[in-house]
Amino acid sequence: MTKSALQTERSTYAPKVPATIAGGTTLKEGKATESVADQAEIKKLFPNTYGMPIVTFEKGSAAVKGEAINVGVILSGGQAPGGHNVISGIFDGIKAINKDSKLYGFLGGPSGLVDHKYIELTDKIVDEYRNTGGFDIIGSGRTKLEETEQFDKGLEICKKLNIKALVIIGGDDSNTNACVLAEYYLAKKSGVQVIGCPKTIDGDLKNEMIETSFGFDTATKVYSEVIGNIERDANSAKKYWHFIKLMGRSASHVTLECALQTQPNITLIGEEVEAKNQTLDDIVTYIAKVVAARADKGLNFGTVLVPEGLIEFIPAIKKLIAELNDMLAANQAEFDKVADDAKIDYVVAHLSAANAAIFKSLPAGVSRQLALERDPHGNVQVSLIETEQLLADMVGKKLAEWKKEGKFKGKFATQHHFFGYEGRCAAPSNFDADYCYSLGRVAALLIASGKTGYMSSVRNTVKPASEWLAGGIPITAMMNMEKRNGKMKPVIQKALVKLDGGPFKFFASKRDEWAIETAYVYPGPIQYWGPASVADRPSKTLELEHK
Ligand code: FBP
């Protein structure tokens, strides 16, 4: 494989780890935990893994040594920079415990476990992938692990390969399933442990003990670099409004972080749209007003950041999606038999009058996405909905009306962009390279300590890596009951943007100024070497959350 100059140099980078796990380490157990909500139901569903204590690794006199352990690793869901470093951390971690330990990688995501598709990850393979982006070392997939037959098939291969523990690297849905699997294997006294690792560029798998999901840092730095470049182009050419949609299926963390880094003219935050009960027209009017105000100052250009999940936060559309979910779940068998070209009519006929009217008022592409094209977890595939185009068109129409009424005198020409896949496999920033490798090392220590149903946790991440805190959090502690596909299910609570949190409050205090002034910031590309203030800088979100 031909490597770029950066890849070659970067492969020698030794990720930094918390001082407490760098040498001798010892495990300390904290207090018993409770789930974040719905305690009685979660306890009933997870009798074996509920209430376990938070554990931390503290500096000890000796390194952890023990019998050889065979571990299986699975990458689940969307790519996120740093996945390869989690794997190299697990690999080095179990080899440090006993050099005869083995790491098996299940291929193509959770389906690899069920279909018994795997490879043994050797020194040679792992070394090829250290500090690289992507999930191509073993591939990823979105198969849900939730049926007992799948769990039993998984157990079969674990027994055959003498696997003592599985590490599932995934987002909230995949870690929820990791917890269900841990509970099942424990109830069966199978001897197979399950550990989760928090992954997703979306940044919505976080809580008091999991400060951030990996990949968020790198992805937002990549998007911010490009947004900065676009801003500089806009400010040079002075003729376009750029509408930029950013990934993040549900929460608007990615968009908020990019706004904090680049100070665009307009940033929409889905969670605020919902809290203020805004309609699509309210959003369009807000954008049009800023465009008109800048035009009054002779500034016929600007940048608008749009979170991918926006559409789902507009209250009227959220209600529509909720009814669609229940209706489709209740009529699934019948719906599957309806011919493709009759499906939209079927949906309209089965919705309440109010929601049918909203559904029919949406552009055809959007209504089709909402009703028909879901991912295996039942989520609307928001990355396929062209909200940036939709908004730009609607703003254009409104401004044309205002022009006739004499309320708008400027020019409005647009460009559209969608940044998502561009950032998901970038070479991990120093933050993600260090954080991910540490998560992997911690996962190995949790396994050696006999833990199951835990998520690997690395905290205190706004400090230098040597001061980071390492430990494990029971996954049941992060759970609550939510409606999924028409049924109440135990799931890890999704972390949405908090409107009373530091990052949003800072943004809200500045946005009026950023709207009218041209206050752009140009972050430039990720730096892998150089002063720590540039190369090791964590996200603005983390800094403001921990201020
Ligand atoms: P995960 O939650 O699995 O990490 O994936 C996040 C994400 O990148 C979203 O931001 C985006 O909506 C979605 O994946 C796109 O999915 P796909 O890769 O299947 O197109």
Side-chain angles (χ1 to χ4, degrees):
M1 199 202 303
T2 312
K3 284 187 181 167
S4 68
L6 177 77
Q7 255 179 304
T8 308
E9 276 303 323
R10 192 66 179 157
S11 66
T12 63
Y13 177 74
K16 302 184 270 302
V17 295
T20 48
I21 61 162
T25 189
T26 174
L27 178 107
K28 195 174 159 218
E29 301 213 337
K31 284 198 224 112
T33 53
E34 293 265 21
S35 59
V36 280
D38 310 311
Q39 291 83 5
E41 282 119 306
I42 306 284
K43 187 170 181 178
K44 203 162 154 217
L45 291 165
F46 295 90
N48 295 288
T49 50
Y50 188 85
M52 299 184 299
I54 288 175
V55 298
T56 41
F57 291 102
E58 300 194 343
K59 214 162 182 51
S61 48
V64 176
K65 293 280 171 197
E67 284 177 13
I69 346 171
N70 289 359
V71 171
V73 64
I74 299 169
L75 289 165
S76 181
Q79 282 70 246
H84 291 160
N85 272 28
V86 181
I87 292 180
S88 51
I90 302 169
F91 182 83
D92 293 350
I94 59 172
K95 292 280 183 189
I97 291 160
N98 186 309
K99 66 173 178 28
D100 294 325
S101 299
K102 284 186 183 163
L103 182 62
Y104 292 98
F106 287 98
L107 301 175
S111 62
L113 178 73
V114 180
D115 302 336
H116 300 183
K117 297 211 167 101
Y118 63 89
I119 51 165
E120 188 188 336
L121 292 164
T122 57
D123 257 315
K124 191 169 178 302
I125 299 174
V126 172
D127 284 350
E128 277 290 302
Y129 289 90
R130 287 180 194 270
N131 308 311
T132 58
F135 276 6
D136 41 321
I137 187 169
I138 49 174
S140 182
R142 290 199 186 274
T143 301
K144 287 186 286 181
L145 277 185
E146 55 175 13
E147 308 291 340
T148 48
E149 296 85 70
Q150 295 174 310
F151 300 169
D152 290 334
K153 287 293 283 176
L155 198 51
E156 235 176 67
I157 190 68
C158 288
K159 292 287 163 209
K160 186 173 159 211
L161 299 173
N162 194 22
I163 286 177
K164 179 181 159 68
L166 291 171
V167 181
I168 299 185
I169 302 172
D172 52 344
D173 286 331
S174 309
N175 274 286
T176 294
N177 295 342
C179 193
V180 176
L181 192 62
E183 175 69 30
Y184 182 80
Y185 285 172
L186 199 55
K188 273 200 131 179
K189 298 190 172 48
S190 69
V192 177
Q193 303 156 236
V194 184
I195 300 294
C197 277
K199 171 235 70 166
T200 175
I201 62 154
D202 293 3
D204 56 6
L205 172 47
K206 64 175 171 183
N207 48 54
E208 295 240 313
M209 305 307 282
I210 304 293
E211 293 180 354
T212 186
S213 54
F214 79 75
F216 175 77
D217 186 82
T218 310
T220 52
K221 281 178 175 145
V222 171
Y223 305 145
S224 297
E225 177 204 348
V226 194
I227 295 166
N229 295 349
I230 288 176
E231 288 180 334
R232 202 143 216 171
D233 193 287
N235 197 16
S236 304
K238 303 197 190 296
K239 62 175 181 181
Y240 291 127
W241 271 87
H242 292 266
F243 282 70
I244 305 167
K245 183 174 76 168
L246 292 158
M247 247 189 192
R249 184 204 310 286
S250 180
S252 307
H253 299 291
V254 170
T255 299
L256 180 57
E257 171 64 22
C258 292
L260 294 168
Q261 289 195 36
T262 61
Q263 305 190 177
N265 303 101
I266 297 173
T267 303
L268 304 172
I269 298 295
E271 289 81 344
E272 186 184 29
V273 166
E274 180 172 26
K276 291 189 170 164
N277 207 8
Q278 287 175 331
T279 62
L280 197 51
D281 187 58
D282 292 335
I283 298 168
V284 169
T285 306
Y286 166 64
I287 301 173
K289 278 187 176 163
V290 175
V291 173
R294 278 178 66 80
D296 286 345
K297 296 180 70 175
L299 304 169
N300 288 301
F301 64 93
T303 42
V304 185
L305 302 191
V306 182
E308 182 181 64
L310 180 75
I311 206 98
E312 286 189 277
F313 280 104
I314 298 173
I317 297 183
K318 188 170 188 168
K319 280 192 206 124
L320 164 67
I321 293 174
E323 192 186 334
L324 267 173
N325 288 348
D326 290 354
M327 187 277 285
L328 291 174
N331 301 294
Q332 197 63 58
E334 188 178 274
F335 184 68
D336 288 345
K337 288 191 204 126
V338 176
D340 267 3
D341 56 359
K343 280 197 153 86
I344 291 287
D345 290 340
Y346 178 96
V347 168
V348 172
H350 286 76
L351 285 174
S352 62
N355 277 333
I358 293 174
F359 187 75
K360 282 197 285 186
S361 74
L362 294 170
V366 177
S367 51
R368 196 175 168 79
Q369 278 300 327
L370 294 185
L372 308 183
E373 288 161 29
R374 302 297 178 92
D375 79 1
H377 293 276
N379 299 309
V380 175
Q381 289 177 284
V382 280
S383 61
L384 303 178
I385 302 178
E386 291 179 339
T387 348
E388 70 286 18
Q389 175 93 55
L390 178 74
L391 286 174
D393 290 353
M394 292 177 82
V395 171
K397 281 196 189 118
K398 190 162 287 278
L399 288 169
E401 282 166 26
W402 288 1
K403 199 159 222 169
K404 279 189 213 146
E405 296 163 20
K407 290 200 300 199
F408 173 62
K409 297 184 186 67
K411 292 188 196 126
F412 182 65
T414 60
Q415 296 286 345
H416 318 108
H417 317 266
F418 169 38
F419 299 141
Y421 301 99
E422 295 83 346
R424 296 202 312 182
C425 285
S429 60
N430 284 356
F431 178 90
D432 270 329
D434 298 345
Y435 182 59
C436 291
Y437 184 77
S438 300
L439 286 172
R441 293 296 298 244
V442 172
L445 289 170
L446 289 168
I447 294 167
S449 314
K451 300 295 171 198
T452 189
Y454 276 76
M455 192 181 289
S456 174
S457 146
V458 171
R459 292 181 294 127
N460 211 24
T461 50
V462 285
K463 291 278 163 51
S466 61
E467 293 171 43
W468 289 356
L469 305 173
I473 316 296
I475 302 178
T476 50
M478 304 171 201
M479 287 193 163
N480 68 166
M481 300 297 291
E482 282 176 27
K483 204 172 202 180
R484 292 288 167 93
N485 293 332
K487 284 196 199 119
M488 290 307 283
K489 293 223 162 161
V491 292
I492 294 177
Q493 199 172 48
K494 215 180 243 317
L496 299 177
V497 169
K498 288 192 179 136
L499 302 184
D500 58 355
F504 181 81
K505 274 166 68 182
F506 179 79
F507 155 74
S509 73
K510 297 281 180 192
R511 68 171 142 193
D512 291 345
E513 181 191 323
W514 297 349
I516 306 301
E517 305 303 325
T518 303
Y520 303 152
V521 174
Y522 313 116
I526 293 178
Q527 301 296 308
Y528 297 96
W529 294 273
S533 61
V534 182
D536 294 347
R537 184 175 59 80
S539 65
K540 296 252 179 213
T541 302
L542 263 181
E543 281 174 353
L544 289 162
E545 277 172 351
H546 292 268
K547 209 163 187 177

